[in-house]
Amino acid sequence: MTLDTRTSAAIYARAAGLIPGGVNSPVRAMRSIGREHPIFVESAKGFELIDADGHRYVDWVGSWGPLILGHANEGVLDAVREAAAKGTSFGAPTEAEVELAATVAERFPSIDMVRMVSSGTEATMSALRLARAATGRDAILKFAGAYHGHVDGLLAEAGSGLATSGIPASPGVTAAQAADTVVVGWNDPDALDAALAEREFAAIIAEPIPANMGLVPPQPAFLEHLRTAADANGALLILDEVISGFRVARGGAQELLGVAADLTILGKIIGGGLPAAAYGGRRDLMSMVAPAGDVYQAGTLSGNPLAVAAGLATLERLTPGAYERLRELTNALALGLRNASSGHPVQVVSEPGLVTLFFSEEPVTDFTSAANCDLEAYGRFCRALLEGGIYAPPSQFEAWFVSLAHDEAAIERTVDAASQALAA
């Protein structure tokens, strides 16, 4: 390894004494790819990151999804500057919040009303509370390997058997909290049916296109089965589109795959790179949220004017032509990586705006097969990419994010570096 990151190392040495693990979100530590310290970013523009030591990288992380237009997009920056000049936070409603809600509702037919919050975790927590209030039930069903934020009850992992109550997946999560969560395998209709036969659920929560165990799309007819099964059980279907929303299509995975949620969780792109998220759904459900109803949820920075401005500016630029371009770029990257990995035990999976390389002999269809990937090989690959000026997600279980700022030259650079890394 020849990449000189001594400035990052020095910053990390200081950070480690002030911030747990030296980072403010675990995957940033880069420990899963075998690095002793993370790379600290100095700035970014378009598709490039510049680190504290002055190295430039083609960035395929994109702040984990929000930056579909790329870093420091001028239109978004102008919108944020204009909003900031009027004030950074009011704790009072603004017309721009109404405009953003209208934009979301127009793009998602399943959403009549929207409540803005500040993070995907907050949106998930609020949607689950609403589902429990609406159904009078406690239990939630989720899928193994899915991540819906660090909500206590959803930090559960499966025990043995097809349908099992969750057990705590993190210290600090109580057994009682995890017990109200049942975990089944993704793309496994038999496990789903077995769980629903045993218990009445307040909600089934799913990423319609999971991207937190790597990209693992639903198998044919699985989402249709999920929708029918939820209705039969009397459970609300909550679709977590924090990643897929506004990325895979104008109306998210629900438009792309033809499924409708009762409640939808949105984040990342809705804030255009600033902290923002939302949950929304049918009018009868959302009318239960305070102050219209009795289901309490509040937040000082909900609908923050800077985040709303960035979100609106981003969504305005996501036209049908933009999505066609995003699809072209994604297909080009995926094809290049497939060609580069030919002859190697690697699977390349893609959806519009999303790509994953799995270091696996067999296709990955669920969390079990994702967990069986060669994680050490992915780590070596990632480290070699960094040497070649490519910043890929430092975890086998994260997707690569394609942006509209990427171009054919960025893809060529990436494919060349990937070919050399795989050969090594």
Side-chain angles (χ1 to χ4, degrees):
M1 294 293 138
T2 59
L3 190 65
D4 182 357
T5 56
R6 67 185 70 185
T7 304
S8 281
I11 298 171
Y12 178 69
R14 182 176 180 227
L18 298 167
I19 302 169
V23 293
N24 281 309
S25 190
V27 73
R28 301 177 191 176
M30 293 189 163
R31 291 178 181 173
S32 68
I33 63 167
R35 281 189 60 88
E36 293 182 358
H37 64 265
I39 289 174
F40 281 76
V41 174
E42 179 69 25
S43 64
K45 181 66 177 177
F47 64 74
E48 280 195 322
L49 283 179
I50 303 172
D51 72 11
D53 290 277
H55 304 299
R56 291 179 176 269
Y57 307 87
V58 177
D59 179 25
W60 295 105
V61 173
S63 191
W64 303 103
L67 302 179
I68 195 168
L69 302 180
H71 293 280
N73 176 271
E74 290 300 329
V76 174
L77 293 180
D78 287 344
V80 172
R81 291 186 193 106
E82 183 179 347
K86 298 176 181 177
T88 59
S89 183
F90 307 121
T94 65
E95 185 176 8
E97 296 170 65
V98 183
E99 291 299 325
L100 184 55
T103 300
V104 171
E106 188 271 325
R107 293 188 177 214
F108 280 78
S110 66
I111 296 178
D112 297 320
M113 303 182 80
V114 180
R115 171 57 65 85
M116 294 293 299
V117 294
S118 297
S119 72
T121 294
E122 189 182 353
T124 299
M125 177 184 71
S126 303
L128 294 181
R129 181 181 301 148
L130 177 55
R132 286 173 165 139
T135 62
R137 303 172 178 179
D138 294 334
I140 304 295
L141 186 144
K142 65 160 284 190
F143 293 94
Y147 177 72
H148 305 289
H150 56 96
V151 181
D152 278 353
L154 296 185
L155 287 180
E157 58 188 11
S160 60
L162 280 177
T164 178
S165 292
I167 57 176
S170 169
V173 175
T174 69
Q177 289 167 322
D180 274 335
T181 303
V182 170
V183 185
V184 300
W186 178 245
N187 279 327
D188 189 340
D190 292 335
L192 174 65
D193 291 343
L196 295 177
E198 292 182 5
R199 196 167 183 180
E200 292 183 335
F201 289 89
I204 300 171
I205 184 168
E207 292 177 272
I209 301 178
N212 278 298
M213 49 179 138
L215 183 61
V216 185
Q219 293 185 339
F222 183 70
L223 287 183
E224 291 87 342
H225 182 82
L226 180 58
R227 175 71 269 182
T228 301
D231 289 339
N233 184 269
L236 298 184
L237 178 59
I238 302 176
L239 292 183
D240 179 347
E241 294 226 44
V242 167
I243 288 177
S244 59
F246 310 115
R247 171 165 288 276
V248 299
R250 189 173 184 273
Q254 294 179 56
E255 175 187 313
L256 186 69
L257 302 177
V259 63
D262 296 306
L263 294 171
T264 300
I265 300 166
L266 296 166
K268 297 190 183 292
I269 289 172
I270 202 174
L274 275 69
Y279 62 106
R282 300 196 322 253
R283 188 173 305 276
D284 62 308
L285 294 172
M286 295 302 296
S287 294
M288 298 177 66
V289 177
D294 296 329
V295 180
Y296 194 74
Q297 180 267 315
T300 297
L301 294 177
S302 295
N304 174 265
L306 305 190
V308 168
L312 280 170
T314 298
L315 294 179
E316 286 171 3
R317 288 159 175 78
L318 294 179
T319 63
Y323 283 109
E324 181 58 33
R325 175 62 174 162
L326 188 68
R327 183 182 292 271
E328 290 172 357
L329 291 167
T330 305
N331 290 343
L333 176 63
L335 177 61
L337 291 173
R338 287 190 186 101
N339 290 338
S341 62
S342 178
H344 298 282
V346 173
Q347 310 290 323
V348 179
V349 184
S350 67
E351 293 285 348
L354 297 164
V355 174
T356 294
L357 284 81
F358 288 110
F359 277 69
S360 171
E361 295 274 5
E362 302 296 329
V364 172
T365 59
D366 56 16
F367 181 61
T368 298
S369 50
N372 286 333
C373 289
D374 189 337
L375 305 186
E376 291 187 3
Y378 183 85
R380 293 194 301 272
F381 174 69
C382 240
R383 296 196 303 273
L385 286 183
L386 288 171
E387 295 283 327
I390 308 299
Y391 192 92
S395 168
Q396 174 68 96
F397 304 115
E398 301 285 355
W400 297 37
F401 291 94
V402 183
S403 82
L404 290 164
H406 287 100
D407 59 16
E408 286 73 13
I411 291 170
E412 184 177 353
R413 282 171 58 183
T414 302
V415 172
D416 288 346
S419 296
Q420 295 179 41
L422 288 164

